[in-house]
Amino acid sequence: MRAFSYERAKSPREAAAAVAADPTARFIAGGTNLLDLMKLEIETPARLVDVNGLKLDEITPTKGGGLRIGALVRNTDLAADKRVRKDYGVLSRALLAGASGQLRNKATTAGNLLQRTRCPYFYDTNMPCNKRTPGAGCSAIGGFTRSLAVLGASEACIATHPSDMAVALRVLDATVETVTPDGTERSIPIADFHRLPGDTPQVETALARGELITSVTLPKPIGGVHAYRKVRDRASYAFALVSVASVIHKDGSGRIALGGVAHKPWRVEAAESLLPRGAKAASEGLLAGARTTSQNAFKLTLAQRAIGAAVAEARA
Amino acid sequence: MAILDDLQLSRREVMATGAAVGVVAAPGLAEAAPAEPAPSVMPTLMKVSFTVNGQRQSLELDTRTTLLDALREHLKLTGSKKGCDHGQCGACTVIVDGRRINSCLSLAVMHEGDAITTIEGLGTPEKLHPVQAAFVRHDGYQCGYCTPGQICSAKAVLDEIKAGVPSHVTADLNAKVQFSEDELRERMSGNICRCGAYSNIVAAVAEVAEGKA
């Protein structure tokens, strides 16, 4: 690990200004992803701004009947919150399907959104990667692609976003609240928060340099049967090959989003409107435009079946 | 090879030197070197105080020191183990303010004022913690390397179930969480045992959970 200076931020605005003014600075909260990457020298900040003291660790009701989740609420606490379990079950389920108990105790809501891909070539510093070194090339294309993206990928990058939580937030139409270095607050719909790789795969979110997530808000509960189905290589503590966050209503309408298939949670509202006609019709729309390799084409079948199972279970 | 003694040597130069002495580089290796080395920062020392197993400790550490290295290398509490050093194996599990964490993925300087419990603080050879005693009775280990992490994790798992924290295998999110072997297996998935002592670990922890220990 490279040496770095360390400071504790005193206010969200100060933290944002500090990181905005210093290109070598990074925020640190739970640290479970950043420190892992720093040990491998994939991340090499010269300055860490610790935001843990900023009191952004509460879950409070919003005026609109929803919930405001502080950026520093730990994954364990968010999953266990009684209001989340009752009204936003898909979020609890997604969180509990991710990582391990130890990691969920540290990992934060904002950090979960900002975690980096687990593409094996991103982690292998002996191989070119456009995320690590823009313009270096993508080793994954033509390489071992079994775990990688089948939707929304580009010629520069076929990495996936690893978060389970983000997939649930996408079906719940969450909003990411931020503070910018000049103190302005901004609300970013979750749909616009994560970016597709395009030709700048190193730019993963809509955040500006130094912009700090302060909370994530959920709209008022939408009812329905909430589920998160995660298909992976082992029963626990593994990233998704494919995951489905679903909220299905009695009349068969609902919302679905996929994880493990793209650079961001994958949801297509137009395809979702076909849900009352059956899971198959909706799946076809959701997976339209997929580009697969011989190693990852199975993800499309897996996604169709997982969606089918989610819908069948919800309507049983 | 005098050049190799120069600590300022860049990765690119190391690879060039390597090639010069006959090491065959893999195709594409040269392009893979980080384009811009991060600006070099002198190691920073910082003071931090926390309690470990009830004893107050004040240390001055390089900011890079993980909680695990602070415990093992500075406080000589070598019960917590370094397995993968990346949060994947759980051998470094300790309990901080009542919650289990991977001490390898946490900076020591981020624990100012915290109360840390390691395996050394759970029980003593004369008076074992109930989970420790159950591991002995059920032979919940072979080589023993993962055991301190397994025991710290198991102790915290039992507390999590008591506190009503649900898991991936909890059938009803809105019902009271109950101990079961399935719950235990799911909750302990962040602790790897390469000897494969899992069945005895489950038996040991189940005995404590069910109050038979």
Side-chain angles (χ1 to χ4, degrees), chain A residues 214-254:
Chain A
T214 51
S215 66
V216 172
T217 52
L218 300 177
K220 66 179 184 196
I222 54 167
V225 177
H226 289 226
Y228 188 77
R229 295 181 81 93
K230 182 173 180 180
V231 189
R232 43 187 161 173
D233 283 330
R234 55 186 183 209
S236 183
Y237 198 18
F239 290 99
L241 291 166
V242 166
S243 67
V244 182
S246 55
V247 178
I248 307 291
H249 300 289
K250 280 208 174 87
D251 61 1
S253 68

Coordinates of all heavy atoms in Angstrom, one line a residue, chain A residues 214-254:
Chain A
T214 N -24.8 12.1 0.7 CA -25.2 12.3 2.1 C -26.4 11.3 2.5 O -26.5 11.0 3.7 CB -25.7 13.8 2.3 OG1 -26.7 14.1 1.3 CG2 -24.6 14.7 2.2
S215 N -27.2 11.0 1.6 CA -28.3 10.0 1.9 C -28.8 9.4 0.6 O -28.5 9.9 -0.5 CB -29.4 10.7 2.7 OG -30.1 11.6 1.9
V216 N -29.6 8.4 0.8 CA -30.4 7.8 -0.3 C -31.9 7.8 0.2 O -32.2 7.4 1.3 CB -30.0 6.3 -0.6 CG1 -30.9 5.7 -1.6 CG2 -28.5 6.3 -1.1
T217 N -32.8 8.4 -0.6 CA -34.2 8.4 -0.2 C -35.0 7.4 -1.0 O -34.8 7.2 -2.2 CB -34.8 9.8 -0.4 OG1 -34.5 10.3 -1.7 CG2 -34.1 10.8 0.6
L218 N -36.0 6.8 -0.3 CA -36.9 5.9 -0.9 C -38.3 6.6 -1.0 O -38.7 7.2 0.0 CB -37.0 4.6 0.0 CG -35.8 3.8 0.2 CD1 -36.1 2.6 1.1 CD2 -35.2 3.3 -1.1
P219 N -39.0 6.5 -2.1 CA -40.3 7.0 -2.2 C -41.2 6.2 -1.2 O -40.8 5.2 -0.7 CB -40.8 6.8 -3.6 CG -39.6 6.3 -4.3 CD -38.6 5.8 -3.3
K220 N -42.5 6.7 -1.1 CA -43.4 5.9 -0.2 C -43.6 4.5 -0.7 O -43.4 4.2 -1.9 CB -44.7 6.7 0.0 CG -45.5 6.7 -1.3 CD -46.8 7.4 -1.0 CE -47.7 7.4 -2.3 NZ -48.8 8.3 -2.3
P221 N -43.9 3.6 0.2 CA -44.0 2.2 -0.1 C -44.9 1.9 -1.3 O -46.0 2.6 -1.4 CB -44.4 1.5 1.2 CG -44.1 2.4 2.3 CD -44.1 3.8 1.7
I222 N -44.6 0.9 -2.1 CA -45.5 0.7 -3.3 C -46.2 -0.7 -3.1 O -47.0 -1.1 -4.0 CB -44.7 0.6 -4.6 CG1 -43.5 -0.3 -4.5 CG2 -44.2 2.0 -4.9 CD1 -42.9 -0.6 -5.9
G223 N -46.1 -1.3 -2.0 CA -46.8 -2.6 -1.8 C -46.2 -3.7 -2.6 O -45.1 -3.6 -3.1
G224 N -47.0 -4.7 -2.9 CA -46.6 -5.8 -3.8 C -45.7 -6.8 -3.0 O -45.4 -6.7 -1.8
V225 N -45.4 -7.9 -3.7 CA -44.5 -9.0 -3.2 C -43.1 -8.6 -3.5 O -42.8 -8.6 -4.7 CB -45.0 -10.4 -3.7 CG1 -44.0 -11.4 -3.2 CG2 -46.4 -10.7 -3.3
H226 N -42.3 -8.5 -2.5 CA -40.9 -8.1 -2.8 C -40.0 -9.4 -2.7 O -40.1 -10.2 -1.8 CB -40.4 -7.2 -1.7 CG -41.0 -5.8 -1.8 ND1 -40.2 -4.7 -1.6 CD2 -42.3 -5.4 -2.0 CE1 -41.0 -3.6 -1.8 NE2 -42.3 -4.0 -2.0
A227 N -39.1 -9.5 -3.7 CA -38.1 -10.6 -3.6 C -36.8 -10.2 -4.3 O -36.8 -9.3 -5.1 CB -38.7 -11.8 -4.4
Y228 N -35.8 -10.9 -3.9 CA -34.5 -10.7 -4.5 C -33.9 -12.1 -4.7 O -33.5 -12.8 -3.8 CB -33.5 -9.9 -3.7 CG -32.2 -9.5 -4.4 CD1 -32.2 -8.5 -5.4 CD2 -31.0 -10.2 -4.1 CE1 -31.1 -8.2 -6.0 CE2 -29.9 -9.8 -4.8 CZ -29.9 -8.8 -5.8 OH -28.7 -8.5 -6.4
R229 N -33.8 -12.5 -6.0 CA -33.3 -13.9 -6.3 C -31.9 -13.7 -6.8 O -31.7 -13.0 -7.8 CB -34.1 -14.6 -7.3 CG -35.5 -14.9 -6.9 CD -36.3 -15.6 -8.0 NE -36.0 -17.0 -8.0 CZ -36.7 -17.9 -7.4 NH1 -37.7 -17.6 -6.7 NH2 -36.3 -19.2 -7.4
K230 N -30.9 -14.4 -6.2 CA -29.5 -14.2 -6.6 C -29.0 -15.6 -7.0 O -29.0 -16.5 -6.2 CB -28.8 -13.6 -5.4 CG -27.3 -13.4 -5.7 CD -26.6 -12.6 -4.6 CE -25.1 -12.4 -4.9 NZ -24.5 -11.6 -3.8
V231 N -28.5 -15.7 -8.2 CA -28.0 -17.0 -8.6 C -26.4 -16.8 -8.7 O -25.9 -15.9 -9.3 CB -28.5 -17.4 -10.0 CG1 -28.1 -18.8 -10.4 CG2 -30.0 -17.2 -10.1
R232 N -25.7 -17.7 -8.0 CA -24.3 -17.5 -7.9 C -23.6 -18.9 -7.8 O -24.3 -19.9 -7.7 CB -23.9 -16.7 -6.7 CG -24.8 -17.1 -5.4 CD -24.5 -16.1 -4.3 NE -25.6 -16.2 -3.3 CZ -25.6 -15.5 -2.1 NH1 -24.6 -14.8 -1.8 NH2 -26.6 -15.6 -1.3
D233 N -22.3 -18.9 -7.8 CA -21.6 -20.2 -7.9 C -21.6 -21.0 -6.5 O -21.2 -22.1 -6.5 CB -20.1 -20.0 -8.3 CG -20.1 -19.8 -9.8 OD1 -20.9 -20.3 -10.6 OD2 -19.2 -19.0 -10.3
R234 N -21.8 -20.3 -5.4 CA -22.0 -21.0 -4.2 C -23.2 -20.3 -3.4 O -23.6 -19.2 -3.8 CB -20.7 -21.0 -3.3 CG -20.2 -19.7 -3.1 CD -18.8 -19.7 -2.3 NE -18.4 -18.4 -2.1 CZ -17.1 -18.0 -2.0 NH1 -16.1 -18.8 -2.1 NH2 -16.8 -16.7 -1.7
A235 N -23.7 -21.0 -2.4 CA -25.0 -20.6 -1.8 C -24.8 -19.3 -1.0 O -25.9 -18.6 -0.7 CB -25.5 -21.7 -0.9
S236 N -23.6 -18.9 -0.6 CA -23.5 -17.7 0.2 C -22.1 -17.1 -0.1 O -21.2 -17.8 -0.5 CB -23.5 -18.1 1.7 OG -23.4 -16.9 2.5
Y237 N -22.0 -15.8 0.1 CA -20.8 -15.0 0.0 C -20.1 -15.2 -1.4 O -19.0 -15.7 -1.5 CB -19.8 -15.5 1.1 CG -18.7 -14.6 1.4 CD1 -18.7 -13.2 1.0 CD2 -17.6 -15.0 2.1 CE1 -17.7 -12.4 1.2 CE2 -16.5 -14.1 2.4 CZ -16.6 -12.8 1.9 OH -15.5 -12.0 2.2
A238 N -20.9 -14.8 -2.4 CA -20.3 -14.8 -3.7 C -21.1 -13.8 -4.5 O -22.2 -13.4 -4.2 CB -20.5 -16.2 -4.4
F239 N -20.4 -13.2 -5.5 CA -21.1 -12.2 -6.4 C -22.1 -12.9 -7.3 O -22.0 -14.1 -7.6 CB -20.1 -11.4 -7.2 CG -19.3 -10.5 -6.3 CD1 -18.0 -10.9 -5.8 CD2 -19.9 -9.3 -5.8 CE1 -17.3 -10.0 -4.9 CE2 -19.2 -8.5 -4.9 CZ -17.9 -8.8 -4.5
A240 N -23.1 -12.1 -7.8 CA -24.2 -12.7 -8.6 C -23.7 -13.0 -10.0 O -22.9 -12.3 -10.6 CB -25.3 -11.7 -8.7
L241 N -24.1 -14.2 -10.5 CA -24.0 -14.4 -12.0 C -25.1 -13.6 -12.6 O -24.9 -12.9 -13.6 CB -24.1 -15.9 -12.3 CG -22.9 -16.7 -11.8 CD1 -23.2 -18.2 -11.8 CD2 -21.6 -16.4 -12.6
V242 N -26.3 -13.8 -12.0 CA -27.5 -13.0 -12.4 C -28.3 -12.8 -11.1 O -28.4 -13.8 -10.3 CB -28.3 -13.8 -13.4 CG1 -29.7 -13.3 -13.5 CG2 -27.7 -13.9 -14.7
S243 N -28.9 -11.7 -10.9 CA -29.8 -11.5 -9.8 C -31.0 -10.7 -10.3 O -30.9 -10.0 -11.3 CB -29.1 -10.7 -8.6 OG -28.9 -9.4 -9.0
V244 N -32.1 -11.0 -9.6 CA -33.4 -10.3 -10.0 C -34.0 -9.7 -8.8 O -34.3 -10.4 -7.8 CB -34.4 -11.3 -10.6 CG1 -35.7 -10.5 -11.0 CG2 -33.8 -12.1 -11.7
A245 N -34.2 -8.4 -8.8 CA -34.9 -7.7 -7.8 C -36.3 -7.5 -8.3 O -36.5 -7.0 -9.5 CB -34.3 -6.3 -7.5
S246 N -37.3 -7.9 -7.6 CA -38.7 -7.8 -8.1 C -39.7 -7.3 -7.1 O -39.6 -7.7 -5.9 CB -39.1 -9.2 -8.7 OG -39.0 -10.2 -7.7
V247 N -40.7 -6.6 -7.6 CA -41.8 -6.2 -6.8 C -43.0 -6.5 -7.7 O -43.2 -5.9 -8.7 CB -41.8 -4.7 -6.4 CG1 -43.1 -4.4 -5.6 CG2 -40.6 -4.4 -5.6
I248 N -43.8 -7.5 -7.3 CA -44.9 -7.9 -8.2 C -46.2 -7.8 -7.5 O -46.4 -8.1 -6.3 CB -44.7 -9.4 -8.6 CG1 -43.3 -9.7 -9.2 CG2 -45.8 -9.9 -9.5 CD1 -43.0 -9.1 -10.5
H249 N -47.2 -7.2 -8.2 CA -48.5 -6.9 -7.6 C -49.5 -8.1 -8.0 O -49.2 -8.9 -8.9 CB -49.1 -5.6 -8.1 CG -48.2 -4.4 -7.7 ND1 -48.1 -4.0 -6.4 CD2 -47.3 -3.7 -8.4 CE1 -47.2 -3.0 -6.4 NE2 -46.7 -2.8 -7.6
K250 N -50.6 -8.1 -7.3 CA -51.6 -9.2 -7.5 C -52.1 -9.3 -8.9 O -52.3 -10.4 -9.4 CB -52.8 -8.9 -6.6 CG -52.6 -9.3 -5.1 CD -53.9 -9.7 -4.5 CE -53.7 -10.2 -3.1 NZ -53.7 -9.2 -2.1
D251 N -52.2 -8.1 -9.6 CA -52.7 -8.2 -11.0 C -51.6 -8.6 -12.0 O -51.8 -8.6 -13.2 CB -53.3 -6.8 -11.4 CG -52.3 -5.7 -11.3 OD1 -51.1 -6.0 -11.0 OD2 -52.6 -4.5 -11.6
G252 N -50.4 -8.9 -11.5 CA -49.3 -9.3 -12.4 C -48.4 -8.2 -12.8 O -47.4 -8.5 -13.4
S253 N -48.9 -7.0 -12.6 CA -48.0 -5.9 -12.9 C -46.8 -5.8 -11.9 O -46.9 -6.4 -10.8 CB -48.7 -4.5 -13.0 OG -49.1 -4.2 -11.6
G254 N -45.8 -5.0 -12.2 CA -44.7 -4.9 -11.2 C -43.5 -4.3 -11.8 O -43.5 -3.7 -12.9

